[in-house]
Amino acid sequence: MKKIAFLFSGQGAQYPGMGQSLSENSAAAKAVFAVADAQRPGTSAQCFSGTKEELNQTINTQPCVYAVDLAAARALQENGIEPDCVAGFSLGEIAALTFAGTFEEAAGFDFVCHRARFMSEATEKTGGSMAAILKLSNEKVNELAAAYDKVFPVNYNCPGQVSCAGDKEQLDAFCKDCKANGARAVPLAVSGAFHSPFMDPAAESLKKQLENTPVRPAVTPIYSNKTAALYPAEEAGIRENIADQVNHPVRWQETLEAMWENGVTVFIECGPGKTLTGLVKKTLPQAVACRVEDADTLKETLDTLASL
């Protein structure tokens, strides 16, 4: 039997209409949106009919993408598909933690709403933006960023792709340096300098929030963005990883490689878009990569799994 990993989409993948066909075709997915609407009225309406501008606001993006991520995973589970392990990209890690059992479902949604607020408040205080640097090695990106005191490599996505965050003016100059060295620089559809020291205020607020948020060891093994290793079992370590995630780099390439080394050969992206599916293909070209974001891709993925 092939080992399967569920990968939960992150911020930046959002789009108007996301999750609607899942909710209409899966009772399990519909139940996720019901929980979200009970705690934050209007969440499903934002997903299904919100504007791009509305969905791009961090305070809305995070609970909405979280809901679609978890709905996609529950739809797979409803069809008998259980993962051997899970991971989530940035925001997606909160949905992964909920799916894995670290958070109760209602507590996970409540926490992601606080996370969105704290990160939005940090952005208002510190500003900042992000850009993906393509076609340079991790080492070269690190070297070029070291010339700036407010630019930080933060998402090590796949070979030849690193996202950087920081002060907008310095980031613009840094992107010019990267282009002069043969890179492409692509601005990201996010509203702050995530996973960098710009998010220190959010990390501190999350630590306080987690003091009153029940957590427990994951039932399904989950990989940490911060370490690219499995989450610790003790509560203190769990809370530390969750809080530190927002102001530390996402080691995604290493996470995929660690999963592969542990026998995972099938990766299913759960949530809007196909960014993570693309990163799997670039990092592990021999792996099976598929996705679930709507009713059509759910059927396609179930057909692919049945054929393996």
Side-chain angles (χ1 to χ4, degrees):
M1 185 67 179
K2 295 182 181 295
K3 282 191 175 182
I4 296 172
F6 285 4
L7 308 177
F8 293 78
S9 306
Q11 192 163 345
Q14 66 275 3
Y15 60 84
M18 62 181 183
Q20 184 166 4
S21 68
L22 277 175
S23 180
E24 292 170 348
N25 289 276
S26 164
K30 186 175 182 179
V32 171
F33 287 108
V35 170
D37 283 338
Q39 294 183 256
R40 180 180 180 271
T43 298
S44 62
Q46 278 189 334
C47 293
F48 304 161
S49 57
T51 64
K52 181 179 178 180
E53 292 72 23
E54 184 180 11
L55 287 169
N56 282 351
Q57 297 173 26
T58 295
I59 199 73
N60 299 325
T61 311
Q62 294 200 16
C64 288
V65 171
Y66 167 97
V68 179
D69 283 4
L70 193 57
R74 295 297 188 207
L76 281 164
Q77 198 173 40
E78 181 183 44
N79 281 276
I81 309 302
E82 294 286 352
D84 295 279
C85 59
V86 299
F89 192 99
S90 186
L91 160 66
E93 187 163 280
I94 311 306
L97 285 160
T98 303
F99 182 88
T102 294
F103 289 129
E104 293 286 352
E105 194 152 320
F109 188 80
D110 180 69
F111 181 77
V112 85
C113 290
H114 282 96
R115 184 181 187 272
R117 179 165 61 85
F118 296 149
M119 292 177 73
S120 182
E121 289 171 353
T123 297
E124 290 173 4
K125 292 177 183 176
T126 63
S129 58
M130 296 180 68
I133 308 302
L134 313 178
K135 300 184 178 181
L136 289 182
S137 68
N138 294 352
E139 294 74 19
K140 188 63 178 178
V141 174
N142 292 343
E143 176 191 327
L144 293 171
Y148 298 86
D149 64 342
K150 294 181 180 178
V151 172
F152 308 92
V154 293
N155 298 342
Y156 295 92
N157 297 330
C158 68
Q161 186 182 131
V162 180
S163 294
C164 296
D167 172 80
K168 191 176 187 312
E169 287 187 10
Q170 286 198 16
L171 193 64
D172 288 345
F174 164 74
C175 287
K176 290 179 182 177
D177 287 348
C178 291
K179 290 175 183 177
N181 281 271
R184 286 181 57 216
V186 181
L188 296 182
V190 295
S191 57
F194 302 145
H195 299 287
S196 77
F198 280 47
M199 289 293 113
D200 286 351
E204 288 303 312
S205 295
L206 286 172
K207 286 176 184 176
K208 293 176 183 176
Q209 181 66 31
L210 283 162
E211 290 174 2
N212 301 309
T213 302
V215 298
R216 60 188 180 189
V219 176
T220 304
I222 174 170
Y223 285 79
S224 164
N225 283 183
K226 180 185 172 185
T227 66
L230 290 173
Y231 253 78
E234 71 279 3
E235 288 190 12
I238 293 169
R239 289 188 168 93
E240 180 182 350
N241 269 260
I242 295 171
D244 285 352
Q245 189 230 34
V246 299
N247 64 342
H248 285 73
V250 175
R251 297 166 62 182
W252 191 251
Q253 179 182 336
E254 290 178 68
T255 298
L256 296 180
E257 291 168 344
M259 289 179 163
W260 180 263
E261 289 173 9
N262 286 323
V264 175
T265 58
V266 180
F267 297 82
I268 306 174
E269 180 174 5
C270 300
K274 52 186 177 182
T275 298
L276 303 187
T277 307
L279 297 182
V280 171
K281 291 176 179 178
K282 291 173 182 175
T283 305
L284 303 168
Q286 58 275 64
V288 175
C290 40
R291 61 193 176 95
V292 174
E293 64 174 326
D294 54 25
D296 289 342
T297 50
L298 173 62
K299 182 180 184 305
E300 290 169 7
T301 293
L302 292 173
D303 289 345
T304 296
L305 295 174
S307 70
L308 295 177

